[in-house]
mmCIF file of all heavy atoms in Angstrom:
data_model
loop_
_atom_site.group_PDB
_atom_site.id
_atom_site.type_symbol
_atom_site.label_atom_id
_atom_site.label_comp_id
_atom_site.label_asym_id
_atom_site.label_seq_id
_atom_site.Cartn_x
_atom_site.Cartn_y
_atom_site.Cartn_z
ATOM 1 N N PRO W 2 67.992 0.960 -42.884
ATOM 2 C CA PRO W 2 67.628 2.346 -43.290
ATOM 3 C C PRO W 2 66.414 2.540 -43.898
ATOM 4 O O PRO W 2 65.929 1.769 -44.847
ATOM 5 C CB PRO W 2 68.915 2.609 -44.231
ATOM 6 C CG PRO W 2 69.217 1.322 -44.903
ATOM 7 C CD PRO W 2 68.845 0.313 -43.756
ATOM 8 N N PHE W 3 65.634 3.662 -43.534
ATOM 9 C CA PHE W 3 64.509 4.062 -44.296
ATOM 10 C C PHE W 3 64.871 5.331 -45.035
ATOM 11 O O PHE W 3 65.460 6.217 -44.441
ATOM 12 C CB PHE W 3 63.371 4.430 -43.244
ATOM 13 C CG PHE W 3 62.619 3.300 -42.809
ATOM 14 C CD1 PHE W 3 63.124 2.458 -41.839
ATOM 15 C CD2 PHE W 3 61.294 2.955 -43.253
ATOM 16 C CE1 PHE W 3 62.380 1.340 -41.212
ATOM 17 C CE2 PHE W 3 60.599 1.902 -42.749
ATOM 18 C CZ PHE W 3 61.125 1.061 -41.742
ATOM 19 N N ILE W 4 64.640 5.377 -46.302
ATOM 20 C CA ILE W 4 64.952 6.555 -47.060
ATOM 21 C C ILE W 4 63.547 7.192 -47.494
ATOM 22 O O ILE W 4 62.652 6.592 -47.884
ATOM 23 C CB ILE W 4 65.775 6.285 -48.356
ATOM 24 C CG1 ILE W 4 65.074 5.220 -49.310
ATOM 25 C CG2 ILE W 4 67.151 5.697 -47.981
ATOM 26 C CD1 ILE W 4 65.763 5.032 -50.654
ATOM 27 N N GLY W 5 63.492 8.506 -47.380
ATOM 28 C CA GLY W 5 62.141 9.178 -47.465
ATOM 29 C C GLY W 5 62.247 10.370 -48.408
ATOM 30 O O GLY W 5 63.146 11.214 -48.297
ATOM 31 N N SER W 6 61.300 10.508 -49.299
ATOM 32 C CA SER W 6 61.120 11.621 -50.194
ATOM 33 C C SER W 6 59.736 11.518 -50.735
ATOM 34 O O SER W 6 58.909 10.613 -50.497
ATOM 35 C CB SER W 6 62.227 11.586 -51.257
ATOM 36 O OG SER W 6 62.136 12.717 -52.037
ATOM 37 N N PHE W 7 59.435 12.548 -51.705
ATOM 38 C CA PHE W 7 58.171 12.472 -52.408
ATOM 39 C C PHE W 7 58.267 11.202 -53.338
ATOM 40 O O PHE W 7 59.313 10.806 -53.826
ATOM 41 C CB PHE W 7 57.979 13.679 -53.299
ATOM 42 C CG PHE W 7 57.686 14.948 -52.476
ATOM 43 C CD1 PHE W 7 57.565 16.124 -53.124
ATOM 44 C CD2 PHE W 7 57.558 14.879 -51.052
ATOM 45 C CE1 PHE W 7 57.349 17.285 -52.405
ATOM 46 C CE2 PHE W 7 57.248 16.001 -50.409
ATOM 47 C CZ PHE W 7 57.175 17.297 -51.081
ATOM 48 N N ALA W 8 57.087 10.584 -53.616
ATOM 49 C CA ALA W 8 56.998 9.390 -54.436
ATOM 50 C C ALA W 8 57.684 9.571 -55.759
ATOM 51 O O ALA W 8 58.364 8.607 -56.217
ATOM 52 C CB ALA W 8 55.518 9.025 -54.578
ATOM 53 N N GLU W 9 57.512 10.609 -56.509
ATOM 54 C CA GLU W 9 58.080 10.868 -57.779
ATOM 55 C C GLU W 9 59.652 10.834 -57.593
ATOM 56 O O GLU W 9 60.270 10.259 -58.470
ATOM 57 C CB GLU W 9 57.575 12.239 -58.307
ATOM 58 C CG GLU W 9 58.302 12.623 -59.612
ATOM 59 C CD GLU W 9 58.267 11.643 -60.742
ATOM 60 O OE1 GLU W 9 57.277 10.856 -60.757
ATOM 61 O OE2 GLU W 9 59.060 11.672 -61.523
ATOM 62 N N PHE W 10 60.251 11.447 -56.471
ATOM 63 C CA PHE W 10 61.675 11.533 -56.507
ATOM 64 C C PHE W 10 62.286 10.341 -56.019
ATOM 65 O O PHE W 10 63.448 10.045 -56.314
ATOM 66 C CB PHE W 10 61.958 12.699 -55.437
ATOM 67 C CG PHE W 10 61.381 14.082 -55.878
ATOM 68 C CD1 PHE W 10 61.145 15.014 -54.885
ATOM 69 C CD2 PHE W 10 60.955 14.386 -57.199
ATOM 70 C CE1 PHE W 10 60.587 16.217 -55.227
ATOM 71 C CE2 PHE W 10 60.499 15.481 -57.515
ATOM 72 C CZ PHE W 10 60.181 16.461 -56.596
ATOM 73 N N VAL W 11 61.629 9.515 -55.180
ATOM 74 C CA VAL W 11 62.183 8.342 -54.643
ATOM 75 C C VAL W 11 61.957 7.014 -55.524
ATOM 76 O O VAL W 11 62.278 5.979 -55.041
ATOM 77 C CB VAL W 11 61.793 8.094 -53.155
ATOM 78 C CG1 VAL W 11 60.434 7.424 -52.997
ATOM 79 C CG2 VAL W 11 62.864 7.420 -52.339
ATOM 80 N N THR W 12 61.253 7.250 -56.584
ATOM 81 C CA THR W 12 61.067 6.046 -57.573
ATOM 82 C C THR W 12 61.739 6.369 -58.846
ATOM 83 O O THR W 12 62.691 5.893 -59.258
ATOM 84 C CB THR W 12 59.625 5.658 -57.582
ATOM 85 O OG1 THR W 12 58.782 6.815 -58.158
ATOM 86 C CG2 THR W 12 59.079 5.308 -56.300
ATOM 87 N N GLY W 13 61.005 7.266 -59.662
ATOM 88 C CA GLY W 13 61.489 7.501 -61.013
ATOM 89 C C GLY W 13 62.783 8.157 -61.063
ATOM 90 O O GLY W 13 63.547 7.851 -61.941
ATOM 91 N N ARG W 14 63.112 9.099 -60.197
ATOM 92 C CA ARG W 14 64.350 9.905 -60.228
ATOM 93 C C ARG W 14 65.564 8.951 -59.960
ATOM 94 O O ARG W 14 66.665 9.149 -60.519
ATOM 95 C CB ARG W 14 64.296 11.023 -59.303
ATOM 96 C CG ARG W 14 65.644 11.900 -59.288
ATOM 97 C CD ARG W 14 65.532 13.128 -58.433
ATOM 98 N NE ARG W 14 64.608 14.123 -59.106
ATOM 99 C CZ ARG W 14 64.346 15.300 -58.591
ATOM 100 N NH1 ARG W 14 64.774 15.700 -57.396
ATOM 101 N NH2 ARG W 14 63.565 16.143 -59.200
ATOM 102 N N VAL W 15 65.299 7.884 -59.207
ATOM 103 C CA VAL W 15 66.463 7.066 -58.684
ATOM 104 C C VAL W 15 66.261 5.634 -59.145
ATOM 105 O O VAL W 15 66.825 4.688 -58.502
ATOM 106 C CB VAL W 15 66.662 7.141 -57.136
ATOM 107 C CG1 VAL W 15 67.071 8.594 -56.809
ATOM 108 C CG2 VAL W 15 65.297 6.785 -56.420
ATOM 109 N N TYR W 16 65.600 5.311 -60.217
ATOM 110 C CA TYR W 16 65.193 3.970 -60.480
ATOM 111 C C TYR W 16 66.397 3.112 -60.780
ATOM 112 O O TYR W 16 66.451 1.939 -60.327
ATOM 113 C CB TYR W 16 64.235 3.987 -61.713
ATOM 114 C CG TYR W 16 63.450 2.642 -61.834
ATOM 115 C CD1 TYR W 16 62.557 2.324 -60.924
ATOM 116 C CD2 TYR W 16 63.673 1.817 -62.958
ATOM 117 C CE1 TYR W 16 61.834 1.048 -61.028
ATOM 118 C CE2 TYR W 16 62.972 0.533 -63.036
ATOM 119 C CZ TYR W 16 62.125 0.295 -62.132
ATOM 120 O OH TYR W 16 61.327 -0.904 -62.198
ATOM 121 N N ASP W 17 67.339 3.706 -61.419
ATOM 122 C CA ASP W 17 68.565 2.830 -61.678
ATOM 123 C C ASP W 17 69.283 2.424 -60.387
ATOM 124 O O ASP W 17 69.705 1.299 -60.196
ATOM 125 C CB ASP W 17 69.588 3.660 -62.556
ATOM 126 C CG ASP W 17 70.878 2.903 -62.782
ATOM 127 O OD1 ASP W 17 70.794 1.805 -63.425
ATOM 128 O OD2 ASP W 17 71.981 3.387 -62.440
ATOM 129 N N GLN W 18 69.369 3.401 -59.410
ATOM 130 C CA GLN W 18 69.993 3.066 -58.069
ATOM 131 C C GLN W 18 69.147 2.111 -57.478
ATOM 132 O O GLN W 18 69.648 1.101 -56.733
ATOM 133 C CB GLN W 18 70.117 4.364 -57.303
ATOM 134 C CG GLN W 18 71.273 5.220 -57.807
ATOM 135 C CD GLN W 18 70.913 5.974 -58.989
ATOM 136 O OE1 GLN W 18 69.828 6.267 -59.308
ATOM 137 N NE2 GLN W 18 71.935 6.426 -59.781
ATOM 138 N N LEU W 19 67.873 2.125 -57.395
ATOM 139 C CA LEU W 19 67.040 1.130 -56.635
ATOM 140 C C LEU W 19 67.143 -0.258 -57.402
ATOM 141 O O LEU W 19 67.249 -1.253 -56.626
ATOM 142 C CB LEU W 19 65.542 1.555 -56.820
ATOM 143 C CG LEU W 19 65.139 2.841 -55.971
ATOM 144 C CD1 LEU W 19 63.693 3.206 -56.288
ATOM 145 C CD2 LEU W 19 65.423 2.668 -54.414
ATOM 146 N N ARG W 20 67.271 -0.257 -58.678
ATOM 147 C CA ARG W 20 67.492 -1.559 -59.293
ATOM 148 C C ARG W 20 68.839 -2.183 -58.977
ATOM 149 O O ARG W 20 68.856 -3.312 -58.596
ATOM 150 C CB ARG W 20 67.354 -1.396 -60.867
ATOM 151 C CG ARG W 20 67.439 -2.727 -61.555
ATOM 152 C CD ARG W 20 67.395 -2.547 -63.081
ATOM 153 N NE ARG W 20 67.358 -3.738 -63.764
ATOM 154 C CZ ARG W 20 68.353 -4.480 -64.110
ATOM 155 N NH1 ARG W 20 69.594 -4.188 -63.803
ATOM 156 N NH2 ARG W 20 68.232 -5.599 -64.787
ATOM 157 N N GLN W 21 69.914 -1.351 -59.172
ATOM 158 C CA GLN W 21 71.190 -2.022 -59.073
ATOM 159 C C GLN W 21 71.700 -2.044 -57.585
ATOM 160 O O GLN W 21 72.432 -3.025 -57.358
ATOM 161 C CB GLN W 21 72.170 -1.004 -59.817
ATOM 162 C CG GLN W 21 71.838 -0.713 -61.246
ATOM 163 C CD GLN W 21 71.898 -1.924 -62.171
ATOM 164 O OE1 GLN W 21 71.177 -2.849 -62.020
ATOM 165 N NE2 GLN W 21 72.786 -1.909 -63.126
ATOM 166 N N GLU W 22 71.321 -1.147 -56.785
ATOM 167 C CA GLU W 22 71.986 -1.170 -55.418
ATOM 168 C C GLU W 22 71.021 -1.718 -54.320
ATOM 169 O O GLU W 22 71.486 -2.038 -53.271
ATOM 170 C CB GLU W 22 72.317 0.305 -55.096
ATOM 171 C CG GLU W 22 73.354 0.855 -55.917
ATOM 172 C CD GLU W 22 73.625 2.316 -55.769
ATOM 173 O OE1 GLU W 22 73.245 2.818 -54.647
ATOM 174 O OE2 GLU W 22 74.188 3.025 -56.678
ATOM 175 N N VAL W 23 69.708 -1.844 -54.681
ATOM 176 C CA VAL W 23 68.786 -2.271 -53.663
ATOM 177 C C VAL W 23 68.101 -3.603 -54.088
ATOM 178 O O VAL W 23 68.296 -4.646 -53.442
ATOM 179 C CB VAL W 23 67.681 -1.265 -53.334
ATOM 180 C CG1 VAL W 23 66.680 -1.786 -52.313
ATOM 181 C CG2 VAL W 23 68.422 0.085 -52.757
ATOM 182 N N SER W 24 67.408 -3.564 -55.177
ATOM 183 C CA SER W 24 66.637 -4.730 -55.604
ATOM 184 C C SER W 24 67.631 -5.888 -55.974
ATOM 185 O O SER W 24 67.354 -7.077 -55.670
ATOM 186 C CB SER W 24 65.762 -4.393 -56.773
ATOM 187 O OG SER W 24 65.039 -5.452 -57.250
ATOM 188 N N TYR W 25 68.591 -5.570 -56.816
ATOM 189 C CA TYR W 25 69.449 -6.638 -57.317
ATOM 190 C C TYR W 25 70.110 -7.563 -56.239
ATOM 191 O O TYR W 25 70.179 -8.764 -56.375
ATOM 192 C CB TYR W 25 70.536 -6.048 -58.250
ATOM 193 C CG TYR W 25 71.395 -7.056 -58.873
ATOM 194 C CD1 TYR W 25 70.858 -8.011 -59.833
ATOM 195 C CD2 TYR W 25 72.782 -7.053 -58.730
ATOM 196 C CE1 TYR W 25 71.768 -8.957 -60.323
ATOM 197 C CE2 TYR W 25 73.670 -7.994 -59.253
ATOM 198 C CZ TYR W 25 73.058 -8.919 -60.166
ATOM 199 O OH TYR W 25 73.998 -9.817 -60.750
ATOM 200 N N GLY W 26 70.428 -6.895 -55.141
ATOM 201 C CA GLY W 26 71.077 -7.651 -54.130
ATOM 202 C C GLY W 26 70.173 -7.907 -52.873
ATOM 203 O O GLY W 26 70.536 -8.423 -51.881
ATOM 204 N N ALA W 27 68.808 -7.684 -53.156
ATOM 205 C CA ALA W 27 67.742 -7.801 -52.111
ATOM 206 C C ALA W 27 68.222 -7.062 -50.721
ATOM 207 O O ALA W 27 68.205 -7.613 -49.708
ATOM 208 C CB ALA W 27 67.470 -9.316 -51.802
ATOM 209 N N THR W 28 68.798 -5.914 -50.926
ATOM 210 C CA THR W 28 69.381 -5.158 -49.936
ATOM 211 C C THR W 28 68.234 -4.610 -49.015
ATOM 212 O O THR W 28 67.232 -4.227 -49.356
ATOM 213 C CB THR W 28 70.176 -4.015 -50.525
ATOM 214 O OG1 THR W 28 71.108 -4.432 -51.471
ATOM 215 C CG2 THR W 28 71.056 -3.293 -49.367
ATOM 216 N N ASN W 29 68.502 -4.661 -47.730
ATOM 217 C CA ASN W 29 67.469 -4.275 -46.675
ATOM 218 C C ASN W 29 67.322 -2.779 -46.544
ATOM 219 O O ASN W 29 67.462 -2.312 -45.451
ATOM 220 C CB ASN W 29 67.933 -4.966 -45.310
ATOM 221 C CG ASN W 29 66.811 -5.082 -44.364
ATOM 222 O OD1 ASN W 29 65.616 -5.170 -44.765
ATOM 223 N ND2 ASN W 29 67.200 -4.969 -43.066
ATOM 224 N N VAL W 30 66.763 -2.210 -47.555
ATOM 225 C CA VAL W 30 66.544 -0.774 -47.575
ATOM 226 C C VAL W 30 64.993 -0.577 -47.640
ATOM 227 O O VAL W 30 64.301 -1.280 -48.432
ATOM 228 C CB VAL W 30 67.183 -0.055 -48.779
ATOM 229 C CG1 VAL W 30 66.768 1.353 -48.865
ATOM 230 C CG2 VAL W 30 68.647 -0.219 -48.653
ATOM 231 N N LYS W 31 64.483 0.368 -46.965
ATOM 232 C CA LYS W 31 63.018 0.659 -46.900
ATOM 233 C C LYS W 31 62.803 2.020 -47.589
ATOM 234 O O LYS W 31 63.379 3.035 -47.127
ATOM 235 C CB LYS W 31 62.429 0.641 -45.401
ATOM 236 C CG LYS W 31 63.050 -0.438 -44.553
ATOM 237 C CD LYS W 31 62.727 -1.832 -45.163
ATOM 238 C CE LYS W 31 63.426 -2.831 -44.138
ATOM 239 N NZ LYS W 31 63.324 -4.304 -44.628
ATOM 240 N N ILE W 32 61.988 1.960 -48.597
ATOM 241 C CA ILE W 32 61.721 3.151 -49.340
ATOM 242 C C ILE W 32 60.480 3.803 -48.929
ATOM 243 O O ILE W 32 59.270 3.225 -49.181
ATOM 244 C CB ILE W 32 61.644 2.944 -50.860
ATOM 245 C CG1 ILE W 32 63.076 2.254 -51.301
ATOM 246 C CG2 ILE W 32 61.381 4.139 -51.676
ATOM 247 C CD1 ILE W 32 62.933 0.911 -51.747
ATOM 248 N N ALA W 33 60.430 4.995 -48.246
ATOM 249 C CA ALA W 33 59.385 5.624 -47.700
ATOM 250 C C ALA W 33 58.858 6.746 -48.696
ATOM 251 O O ALA W 33 59.550 7.740 -48.878
ATOM 252 C CB ALA W 33 59.643 6.184 -46.384
ATOM 253 N N SER W 34 57.803 6.533 -49.274
ATOM 254 C CA SER W 34 57.260 7.278 -50.437
ATOM 255 C C SER W 34 56.052 8.148 -50.036
ATOM 256 O O SER W 34 54.908 7.581 -49.921
ATOM 257 C CB SER W 34 57.052 6.352 -51.558
ATOM 258 O OG SER W 34 56.068 6.937 -52.592
ATOM 259 N N SER W 35 56.064 9.434 -49.912
ATOM 260 C CA SER W 35 54.949 10.280 -49.509
ATOM 261 C C SER W 35 54.562 11.094 -50.719
ATOM 262 O O SER W 35 55.163 11.155 -51.723
ATOM 263 C CB SER W 35 55.402 11.242 -48.338
ATOM 264 O OG SER W 35 54.276 11.950 -47.965
ATOM 265 N N HIS W 36 53.375 11.732 -50.509
ATOM 266 C CA HIS W 36 52.799 12.606 -51.488
ATOM 267 C C HIS W 36 52.521 11.834 -52.814
ATOM 268 O O HIS W 36 52.715 12.340 -53.943
ATOM 269 C CB HIS W 36 53.708 13.801 -51.802
ATOM 270 C CG HIS W 36 53.866 14.763 -50.544
ATOM 271 N ND1 HIS W 36 54.345 14.392 -49.369
ATOM 272 C CD2 HIS W 36 53.574 16.054 -50.437
ATOM 273 C CE1 HIS W 36 54.280 15.278 -48.526
ATOM 274 N NE2 HIS W 36 53.922 16.386 -49.174
ATOM 275 N N ALA W 37 52.127 10.559 -52.717
ATOM 276 C CA ALA W 37 51.830 9.809 -53.871
ATOM 277 C C ALA W 37 50.377 10.016 -54.337
ATOM 278 O O ALA W 37 49.494 10.388 -53.589
ATOM 279 C CB ALA W 37 52.014 8.320 -53.515
ATOM 280 N N GLY W 38 50.212 9.864 -55.708
ATOM 281 C CA GLY W 38 48.839 9.911 -56.250
ATOM 282 C C GLY W 38 48.365 11.273 -56.475
ATOM 283 O O GLY W 38 49.046 12.359 -56.172
ATOM 284 N N ILE W 39 47.226 11.399 -57.031
ATOM 285 C CA ILE W 39 46.660 12.770 -57.384
ATOM 286 C C ILE W 39 46.139 13.529 -56.165
ATOM 287 O O ILE W 39 45.843 14.805 -56.190
ATOM 288 C CB ILE W 39 45.525 12.681 -58.437
ATOM 289 C CG1 ILE W 39 44.392 11.826 -57.994
ATOM 290 C CG2 ILE W 39 46.024 12.219 -59.831
ATOM 291 C CD1 ILE W 39 43.094 11.956 -58.840
ATOM 292 N N THR W 40 45.943 12.786 -55.022
ATOM 293 C CA THR W 40 45.495 13.476 -53.835
ATOM 294 C C THR W 40 46.638 14.407 -53.270
ATOM 295 O O THR W 40 46.333 15.066 -52.273
ATOM 296 C CB THR W 40 45.072 12.542 -52.753
ATOM 297 O OG1 THR W 40 46.150 11.500 -52.608
ATOM 298 C CG2 THR W 40 43.783 11.869 -53.170
ATOM 299 N N LEU W 41 47.837 14.391 -53.854
ATOM 300 C CA LEU W 41 48.774 15.464 -53.498
ATOM 301 C C LEU W 41 48.214 16.807 -53.815
ATOM 302 O O LEU W 41 48.484 17.875 -53.119
ATOM 303 C CB LEU W 41 50.020 15.269 -54.427
ATOM 304 C CG LEU W 41 51.133 16.323 -54.245
ATOM 305 C CD1 LEU W 41 51.535 16.455 -52.821
ATOM 306 C CD2 LEU W 41 52.359 15.930 -55.014
ATOM 307 N N GLY W 42 47.210 16.897 -54.811
ATOM 308 C CA GLY W 42 46.468 18.111 -55.020
ATOM 309 C C GLY W 42 47.115 19.167 -55.819
ATOM 310 O O GLY W 42 47.503 18.958 -56.957
ATOM 311 N N GLU W 43 47.193 20.411 -55.236
ATOM 312 C CA GLU W 43 47.537 21.567 -56.043
ATOM 313 C C GLU W 43 48.915 21.542 -56.608
ATOM 314 O O GLU W 43 49.235 22.382 -57.436
ATOM 315 C CB GLU W 43 47.362 22.886 -55.140
ATOM 316 C CG GLU W 43 45.827 23.149 -54.865
ATOM 317 C CD GLU W 43 45.378 22.307 -53.652
ATOM 318 O OE1 GLU W 43 46.067 21.416 -53.116
ATOM 319 O OE2 GLU W 43 44.128 22.546 -53.244
ATOM 320 N N ASP W 44 49.827 20.687 -56.178
ATOM 321 C CA ASP W 44 51.233 20.626 -56.592
ATOM 322 C C ASP W 44 51.233 20.230 -58.107
ATOM 323 O O ASP W 44 52.233 20.520 -58.751
ATOM 324 C CB ASP W 44 52.128 19.761 -55.874
ATOM 325 C CG ASP W 44 52.424 20.360 -54.372
ATOM 326 O OD1 ASP W 44 51.844 21.325 -54.091
ATOM 327 O OD2 ASP W 44 53.298 19.805 -53.759
ATOM 328 N N GLY W 45 50.204 19.536 -58.543
ATOM 329 C CA GLY W 45 50.145 19.348 -60.020
ATOM 330 C C GLY W 45 50.801 18.082 -60.545
ATOM 331 O O GLY W 45 51.492 17.317 -59.703
ATOM 332 N N ALA W 46 50.790 17.890 -61.786
ATOM 333 C CA ALA W 46 51.175 16.636 -62.504
ATOM 334 C C ALA W 46 52.665 16.320 -62.354
ATOM 335 O O ALA W 46 53.073 15.067 -62.246
ATOM 336 C CB ALA W 46 50.889 16.793 -63.989
ATOM 337 N N THR W 47 53.515 17.310 -62.266
ATOM 338 C CA THR W 47 54.973 16.973 -62.100
ATOM 339 C C THR W 47 55.254 16.197 -60.770
ATOM 340 O O THR W 47 56.314 15.493 -60.711
ATOM 341 C CB THR W 47 55.806 18.243 -62.117
ATOM 342 O OG1 THR W 47 55.371 19.150 -61.059
ATOM 343 C CG2 THR W 47 55.767 18.953 -63.458
ATOM 344 N N HIS W 48 54.491 16.419 -59.719
ATOM 345 C CA HIS W 48 54.712 15.774 -58.418
ATOM 346 C C HIS W 48 53.659 14.632 -58.186
ATOM 347 O O HIS W 48 53.929 13.858 -57.272
ATOM 348 C CB HIS W 48 54.611 16.815 -57.334
ATOM 349 C CG HIS W 48 55.769 17.744 -57.273
ATOM 350 N ND1 HIS W 48 56.275 18.344 -58.312
ATOM 351 C CD2 HIS W 48 56.557 18.091 -56.140
ATOM 352 C CE1 HIS W 48 57.305 19.175 -58.010
ATOM 353 N NE2 HIS W 48 57.449 19.013 -56.730
#
């Protein structure tokens, strides 16, 4: 499975789940993180 969302939402918002359900068991999940960094532009700091 590839899971996709904005970088902020698919890392910080779900960090506990990534740690416990994906990383801890070396589970074969692919995290697709878009809109990363300041080049997201006008959406501002929250994103």
Side-chain angles (χ1 to χ4, degrees):
F3 281 78
I4 59 173
S6 186
F7 289 176
E9 172 59 26
F10 304 154
V11 82
T12 58
R14 179 173 290 181
V15 297
Y16 198 67
D17 179 59
Q18 285 74 26
L19 291 176
R20 182 185 188 274
Q21 306 293 66
E22 300 171 19
V23 177
S24 179
Y25 182 61
T28 310
N29 195 29
V30 174
K31 319 303 174 182
I32 301 115
S34 158
S35 185
H36 295 58
I39 59 169
T40 50
L41 175 54
E43 291 83 354
D44 286 12
T47 56
H48 286 48

